[in-house]
Amino acid sequence: FLIDDKGMLFLFVFGLPPLVHIDDPTRACRACLEMSVVLQQMNLTGRIGITTGRVYCGLVGSDKRREYTVMGDTVNLSARLMANAAPN
């Protein structure tokens, strides 16, 4: 997770090799619904954006700082949906 000017940010990605399931979109939706319930139980607010599609996944960066991430239009759309979603 990441803490930035928007608060805590979690990026959950379903279907990355080698853990691919035919029902990964359903699994993602169910996980988000459960996370929403947990957030409410903890008296926290959150926003969720869900999309499906192809993304780049892999290492990005240099020898000094490298991280495994996902990038692409699908990720950007999910971030926009999250930013415009109503809390919980």
Side-chain angles (χ1 to χ4, degrees):
F1 71 94
L2 171 73
I3 299 176
D4 65 4
D5 61 326
K6 298 173 194 78
M8 268 195 271
L9 175 72
F10 293 88
L11 176 63
F12 296 96
V13 182
F14 290 75
L16 293 179
L19 301 175
V20 178
H21 305 93
I22 196 161
D23 65 340
D24 279 326
T26 303
R27 290 173 184 236
C29 291
R30 286 183 176 170
C32 287
L33 289 171
E34 289 179 29
M35 283 185 272
S36 180
V37 169
V38 170
L39 287 172
Q40 289 175 352
Q41 290 171 346
M42 297 173 68
N43 292 324
L44 298 172
T45 59
R47 298 172 193 267
I48 297 172
I50 303 173
T51 55
T52 183
R54 298 178 68 90
V55 299
Y56 166 80
C57 61
L59 294 173
V60 176
S62 67
D63 289 337
K64 291 187 177 191
R65 180 165 187 257
R66 184 173 296 167
E67 62 186 4
Y68 186 86
T69 191
V70 290
M71 296 188 295
D73 292 339
T74 302
V75 179
N76 297 338
L77 176 58
S78 184
R80 286 188 178 97
L81 290 171
M82 181 190 72
N84 291 305
N88 288 2

